[in-house]
Amino acid sequence: MPMDAVEPDTPPPATTDDAPRVINTDDGAKDGLAKCARCGATEISLNVATGNLRCGFCRFEWSTDNAIEAFNLNGDIATLTGLLVGSGSSDIVPSTEEILTFKCSACGAEVVIDTNTSTQARCHWCRNTLSMNQQVPNGAVPDMILPFKVEKSTAVEKIAHFVGKRKFFAHPTFRAEFNAENVMGVYLPYMVVDINAHAKLSGQGEHQTRSYTVKVGDSTQQRYDADLYDVAREFDIHVNDLTVESSSDRLDQNTAVNSNNIINTIMPFDVENSVRYDSNYLAGFTSERRDSNLDQLEPLAHTQAEDITRHRVNDTLKFYDRGVRWAAEEVEVRGQRWVSAYLPVWLYSYQQRKSNGKTFLHYVAVNARTGETMGSIPLHQSKLLLVSGVVQLVGTVIGLVLVAVGV
């Protein structure tokens, strides 16, 4: 779709047409050698303990700009109109090559970077590291990145603790093969969305006035009297930093073949601490490329905005103690702002091969900012059924004994 470009530190003006306005988030970014400002080395990686980039030779540390401030993403959501997107969130061009060739500016050799798996490569002649920070229209370079904060040793402990509490019911093969040291640090692709919307809801609510018991035949029934009211609500709603997965693999929530829903349970991320994208933050970690466009993700974001609307309106409905049934719901999105981001997760994955030949992918995931941990493990079904049967049998016996003694 056609887009109008604007400078990152200038709030884009609203337009009367439907064309998205674009924030150039890779303005000033350069590909190739990114050197340490103190010693000139290119061995740069993230120091998880401080959140800064660190030179591997002289240990000098520095950080890049906060993305929210650099791109003016913290503006008043109430004034947001139309569609505003970061340049790293533009539609993916299917024909874009995934293999890019760089000329090393240190020795002149040509170095190949496969953007499908990485945005860095080492020159095979001079061993300098070449980084790709400028955006190509294949989704490989996002607008911003949230650095890892939880160290691997902590993630290993959390995953071992999570699995240890569930080992009794775990499948024997999983127990034999589990090794928490196999955890991997992964940057997963997300869209971060701000939404300015106006909501209208109408329906009927019930307020209970009396509760009483009546005799019906040989039994009794509890009955209620209630007043019925027409209920209407109309208000503005501002959604800040909604995160939407932008990998089609992670969007696949088919619980018959994977446990992708686990990833959502370790939310939220403190995306306000994201920095401008620099591929040096990826050193030592893997990453997954975005492969979904705005037109695919927009319905998901709007559905979540509608869910938030229903949740927020509940605070005004306490009088209707028998509930409210909405007959009409309308959430008009007046403005939205999208930027793409890499968010950090420690992952332990396990591919279970079932007796019927089918496979199921289990995850234990750790939010690499907050340490929140959740996961799924393959169960030993026979043991689970046996324990359930024993518990049911013991409960039945206790019930019979209590009846026999007249309790």
Side-chain angles (χ1 to χ4, degrees), residues 161-275:
H161 180 69
F162 179 90
V163 173
K165 291 176 65 177
R166 295 158 177 81
K167 262 193 171 179
F168 181 77
F169 287 112
H171 195 280
T173 306
F174 173 78
R175 290 205 305 268
E177 297 177 352
F178 174 72
N179 181 0
E181 292 293 335
N182 291 333
V183 63
M184 293 186 66
V186 186
Y187 282 105
L188 295 179
Y190 281 82
M191 289 288 194
V192 180
V193 194
D194 297 332
I195 295 177
N196 174 27
H198 186 76
K200 292 182 182 177
L201 299 96
S202 60
Q204 290 187 319
E206 293 184 0
H207 174 68
Q208 181 177 315
T209 57
R210 191 163 70 108
S211 173
Y212 50 95
T213 303
V214 297
K215 189 169 182 59
V216 180
D218 295 332
S219 61
T220 58
Q221 290 183 352
Q222 190 73 22
R223 293 188 175 177
Y224 304 91
D225 288 344
D227 291 336
L228 185 64
Y229 295 85
D230 288 333
V231 181
R233 294 290 184 271
E234 181 172 353
F235 55 95
D236 292 331
I237 184 163
H238 306 144
V239 181
N240 187 30
D241 291 342
L242 179 67
T243 49
V244 180
E245 290 165 328
S246 57
S247 162
S248 57
D249 284 344
R250 298 285 80 74
L251 283 168
D252 180 6
Q253 299 290 312
N254 185 355
T255 55
V257 295
N258 64 55
S259 56
N260 281 343
N261 54 334
I262 294 298
I263 302 296
N264 290 329
T265 64
I266 62 171
M267 299 282 189
F269 287 91
D270 55 331
V271 293
E272 68 274 12
N273 291 315
S274 299
V275 297

Side-chain angles (χ1 to χ4, degrees), residues 69-358:
E69 296 174 359
F71 305 145
N72 193 30
L73 302 178
N74 53 2
D76 187 2
I77 296 176
T79 62
L80 200 58
T81 59
L83 177 58
L84 181 61
V85 300
S87 50
S89 311
S90 305
D91 283 356
I92 297 168
V93 179
S95 60
T96 302
E97 293 291 338
E98 295 177 350
I99 304 298
L100 300 178
T101 301
F102 285 64
K103 184 175 285 294
C104 176
S105 53
C107 69
E110 291 191 343
V111 179
V112 172
I113 293 182
D114 182 356
T115 62
N116 200 32
T117 57
S118 175
T119 54
Q120 282 193 321
R122 184 185 290 272
C123 175
H124 45 275
W125 292 108
C126 67
R127 300 186 62 76
N128 277 307
T129 301
L130 301 182
S131 299
M132 192 186 74
N133 292 320
Q134 291 180 304
Q135 285 151 1
V136 291
N138 67 358
V141 177
D143 297 307
M144 61 187 192
I145 183 169
L146 184 61
F148 274 74
K149 188 177 180 181
V150 174
E151 298 193 63
K152 180 176 180 178
S153 57
T154 303
V156 168
E157 289 176 7
K158 287 183 172 293
I159 290 173
H161 180 69
F162 179 90
V163 173
K165 291 176 65 177
R166 295 158 177 81
K167 262 193 171 179
F168 181 77
F169 287 112
H171 195 280
T173 306
F174 173 78
R175 290 205 305 268
E177 297 177 352
F178 174 72
N179 181 0
E181 292 293 335
N182 291 333
V183 63
M184 293 186 66
V186 186
Y187 282 105
L188 295 179
Y190 281 82
M191 289 288 194
V192 180
V193 194
D194 297 332
I195 295 177
N196 174 27
H198 186 76
K200 292 182 182 177
L201 299 96
S202 60
Q204 290 187 319
E206 293 184 0
H207 174 68
Q208 181 177 315
T209 57
R210 191 163 70 108
S211 173
Y212 50 95
T213 303
V214 297
K215 189 169 182 59
V216 180
D218 295 332
S219 61
T220 58
Q221 290 183 352
Q222 190 73 22
R223 293 188 175 177
Y224 304 91
D225 288 344
D227 291 336
L228 185 64
Y229 295 85
D230 288 333
V231 181
R233 294 290 184 271
E234 181 172 353
F235 55 95
D236 292 331
I237 184 163
H238 306 144
V239 181
N240 187 30
D241 291 342
L242 179 67
T243 49
V244 180
E245 290 165 328
S246 57
S247 162
S248 57
D249 284 344
R250 298 285 80 74
L251 283 168
D252 180 6
Q253 299 290 312
N254 185 355
T255 55
V257 295
N258 64 55
S259 56
N260 281 343
N261 54 334
I262 294 298
I263 302 296
N264 290 329
T265 64
I266 62 171
M267 299 282 189
F269 287 91
D270 55 331
V271 293
E272 68 274 12
N273 291 315
S274 299
V275 297
R276 292 188 65 164
Y277 178 79
D278 185 325
S279 60
N280 285 310
Y281 283 100
L282 271 60
F285 306 102
T286 62
S287 59
E288 194 166 302
R289 202 179 62 177
R290 175 175 70 90
D291 60 359
S292 300
N293 292 327
L294 259 62
D295 55 352
Q296 297 166 282
L297 302 175
E298 213 170 22
L300 298 176
H302 291 182
T303 297
Q304 292 187 36
E306 291 169 3
D307 292 341
I308 294 170
T309 299
R310 292 190 204 95
H311 178 72
R312 293 297 297 172
V313 81
N314 282 340
D315 290 340
T316 71
L317 303 174
K318 294 177 181 175
F319 175 74
Y320 308 103
D321 48 7
R322 298 264 312 158
V324 173
R325 181 173 61 253
W326 298 118
E329 300 177 1
E330 179 184 347
V331 178
E332 178 194 1
V333 176
R334 294 175 170 174
Q336 48 188 328
R337 178 168 48 212
W338 292 69
V339 288
S340 60
Y342 268 163
L343 303 183
V345 177
W346 289 107
L347 271 183
Y348 179 87
S349 60
Y350 182 81
Q351 187 86 36
Q352 180 188 13
R353 191 166 297 280
K354 298 183 177 181
S355 56
N356 59 8
K358 294 183 178 180

Side-chain angles (χ1 to χ4, degrees), residues 15-34:
T15 59
T16 55
D17 56 33
D18 294 330
R21 290 160 287 144
V22 180
I23 305 170
N24 288 321
T25 58
D26 70 342
D27 188 46
K30 294 181 180 178
D31 294 334
L33 296 174

Side-chain angles (χ1 to χ4, degrees), residues 328-406:
E329 300 177 1
E330 179 184 347
V331 178
E332 178 194 1
V333 176
R334 294 175 170 174
Q336 48 188 328
R337 178 168 48 212
W338 292 69
V339 288
S340 60
Y342 268 163
L343 303 183
V345 177
W346 289 107
L347 271 183
Y348 179 87
S349 60
Y350 182 81
Q351 187 86 36
Q352 180 188 13
R353 191 166 297 280
K354 298 183 177 181
S355 56
N356 59 8
K358 294 183 178 180
T359 59
F360 188 95
L361 190 55
H362 293 269
Y363 292 106
V364 181
V366 179
N367 183 319
R369 297 290 298 186
T370 66
E372 183 71 23
T373 305
M374 187 52 68
S376 74
I377 61 174
L379 294 175
H380 190 183
Q381 296 290 348
S382 301
K383 180 182 283 187
L384 184 62
L385 291 173
L386 177 63
V387 172
S388 299
V390 170
V391 170
Q392 187 173 13
L393 178 62
V394 171
T396 302
V397 171
I398 292 176
L400 292 173
V401 170
L402 291 176
V403 170
V405 298

